[in-house]
Amino acid sequence: MTETGALRVAMIGYGFMGAAHSQAWRTAPRVYDLPRSVEMAVIVGRDAAAVGAARDRWGWAEAATDWREVVARDDIDVIDIVTPGSSHADIAIAALEAGKHVLCEKPLANTVAEAAAMTRAAEAARARGVRAMLGFTYRRVPALTHARDLVAAGRIGTVHQVRASYRQDWLVDPNAPLSWRLRKDQAGSGALGDIGAHAVDLVQFVTGQRVERVTGVLDTIVRQRPVETERTGIAGVGGSERGEVTVDDVAIFTGRLSSGVLASFEATRFATGRKNALSIEVSGDRGAIAFDLEDLNVLWLYDRTAPETEQGFTRIVVTEPGHPYLEGWWPTGHMLGYEHGFSHQAKDLVEAIAHGADPAPGFAEGLQVQRVLDAVERSAANDAAWTAVDQD
Ligand code: SOE
């Protein structure tokens, strides 16, 4: 049943993802004709001064410091979780049990057990018309949605092989501080869960297949980093204390997909010179697609059915009105950016809630990705032995 009235959103967290999600809640209802309006009601964080400043900067009506109080409010419809993975399960399960729709940033959780509990809570809430969505936003880069559509339509034929990598270099400096992303108790894993999760989701989304077995290795290149001192909040200043990095810097693994084909994966924060290079290439018997996030408006398509003398990778600039999500934006050739995927995500969630549909990806897909990550960790701990991905 399509309810009327504004969807009143409360966002838990206010860091980098808080900024990206705020921009999306503000923008999506203005560029798309959504079936329900959006009210940016409350932004929540532990530090009252900081979250008050975030409220003013990002355009929220209220700021609060207790997420449990906000989750219990009757005047809130959606809880948007943008905190580190260690708090996803507590917040999402409480919100779903309180009858709130939930959008949760990736990865779903830091462990399979937490992800499974969240998925059970989402399935129980779904029976009451409550929706849960996981924030794998790169699926909503128009070029990648288009890639999925082309593969599904058979444009590259039978998939023979897949290559995916996510390369960054923000940790090459050994003095980059020991942030929460480098501590297992906070982040669950390092490059594997933070960016490897995106590569796994993308391979499964574009090919429509699942990773069923993996063999992998993990490596930590810099094992100690400056601790951010409480007094200054700046790494190494006011003290030269260094702390242990307890997560991986590099994850390299191979997967067998549902059809039996091999998919290779790389997730690293030490690819010097690569700033945010999420790439995928899918090779088939009739052609191939290739994409690189550092050139996110472009999808490359190779058509083996073209005349031999005309074959080559075609550079598709994905900004035509008929391309996914473009109906809301600019005329052809006016490029989109990193932030637009978040508006597409907000649009799809609002439409799913209004139409009583299940948004994708749901928590069950997030659980499946978590199980792939877990299998990679088990393989890496077992001399890279082939390891089955747990199923339900
Ligand atoms: C850091 O690696 C990070 O911000 C990830 O956490 C995001 O998921 C990715 O989209 C960009 O890089």
Side-chain angles (χ1 to χ4, degrees):
M1 178 187 72
T2 301
E3 296 171 30
T4 55
L7 279 172
R8 299 157 297 181
V9 180
M11 184 173 73
I12 320 294
Y14 58 94
F16 169 19
M17 283 300 111
H21 283 230
S22 300
Q23 175 273 146
W25 290 119
R26 201 170 50 243
T27 305
R30 289 170 170 77
V31 298
Y32 294 104
D33 297 323
L34 298 183
R36 294 195 54 189
S37 59
V38 168
E39 191 180 305
M40 296 171 67
V42 192
I43 184 170
V44 185
R46 283 173 295 190
D47 180 318
V51 73
R55 170 202 58 215
D56 299 339
R57 173 181 289 274
W58 301 119
W60 292 83
E62 288 179 54
T65 56
D66 183 337
W67 67 262
R68 293 184 187 281
E69 270 180 19
V70 172
V71 161
R73 284 172 50 167
D74 292 337
D75 62 343
I76 295 296
D77 304 300
V78 179
I79 295 293
D80 182 10
I81 304 170
V82 293
T83 56
S86 53
S87 54
H88 288 184
D90 286 348
I91 299 170
I93 292 171
L96 289 164
E97 289 175 351
K100 311 303 183 192
H101 306 294
V102 171
L103 170 59
C104 183
E105 257 300 324
K106 48 56 62 182
L108 183 60
N110 285 355
T111 66
V112 168
E114 287 173 341
M118 293 166 78
T119 302
R120 287 193 297 273
E123 283 161 2
R126 179 175 177 273
R128 304 196 309 274
V130 176
R131 306 297 165 187
M133 185 186 205
L134 176 58
F136 278 125
T137 49
Y138 292 128
R139 294 174 164 216
R140 295 181 157 84
V141 171
L144 287 169
T145 300
H146 191 41
R148 187 276 312 270
D149 294 345
L150 291 174
V151 172
R155 275 302 262 114
I156 68 169
T158 303
V159 173
H160 285 155
Q161 199 181 337
V162 184
R163 294 161 205 84
S165 78
Y166 202 151
R167 293 164 292 158
Q168 299 176 336
D169 71 356
W170 55 280
L171 284 177
V172 171
D173 177 358
N175 291 315
L178 187 70
S179 70
W180 68 266
R181 291 179 189 274
L182 300 172
R183 299 166 53 161
K184 190 170 183 64
D185 62 322
Q186 294 288 309
S189 62
L192 176 65
D194 182 30
I195 50 180
H198 281 299
V200 171
D201 178 65
L202 210 43
V203 164
Q204 298 189 135
F205 173 67
V206 171
T207 65
Q209 301 189 35
R210 288 285 174 269
V211 178
E212 296 188 345
R213 295 165 49 77
V214 295
T215 169
V217 288
L218 303 177
D219 196 15
T220 302
I221 295 170
V222 171
R223 295 191 170 278
Q224 296 214 329
R225 290 184 178 274
V227 174
E228 287 177 331
T229 51
E230 287 306 315
R231 184 170 54 79
T232 66
I234 301 170
V237 175
S240 56
E241 186 189 351
R242 297 181 83 83
E244 200 68 24
V245 172
T246 53
V247 296
D248 55 283
D249 289 325
V250 181
I252 296 176
F253 53 105
T254 301
R256 281 267 185 214
L257 304 186
S258 323
S259 67
V261 304
L262 286 174
S264 56
F265 297 85
E266 174 192 14
T268 176
R269 294 154 162 174
F270 278 75
T272 307
R274 299 300 182 192
K275 300 307 171 183
N276 205 24
L278 171 58
S279 64
I280 183 172
E281 182 167 313
V282 185
S283 310
D285 66 338
R286 294 168 58 88
I289 59 100
F291 170 85
D292 182 346
L293 185 63
E294 291 187 351
D295 191 10
L296 74 80
N297 288 282
V298 170
L299 179 66
W300 294 92
L301 173 65
Y302 190 96
D303 180 357
R304 278 192 75 241
T305 67
E308 200 171 70
T309 54
E310 297 172 21
Q311 290 186 15
F313 270 100
T314 301
R315 182 175 185 269
I316 303 171
V317 178
V318 186
T319 58
E320 297 304 314
H323 283 138
Y325 299 106
L326 265 298
E327 75 276 13
W329 300 109
W330 323 120
T332 178
H334 293 71
M335 306 302 177
L336 302 190
Y338 166 76
E339 73 279 11
H340 290 81
F342 292 89
S343 287
H344 303 160
Q345 176 173 266
K347 165 189 181 291
D348 289 348
L349 177 57
V350 170
E351 288 177 346
I353 292 169
H355 300 138
D358 289 326
F363 282 9
E365 288 190 73
L367 171 59
Q368 201 275 338
V369 171
Q370 208 72 41
R371 284 173 167 160
V372 172
L373 305 180
D374 175 67
V376 172
E377 289 186 314
R378 286 184 286 122
S379 172
N382 187 19
D383 199 24
W386 275 100
T387 304
V389 175
D390 289 344
Q391 307 294 331
D392 276 335

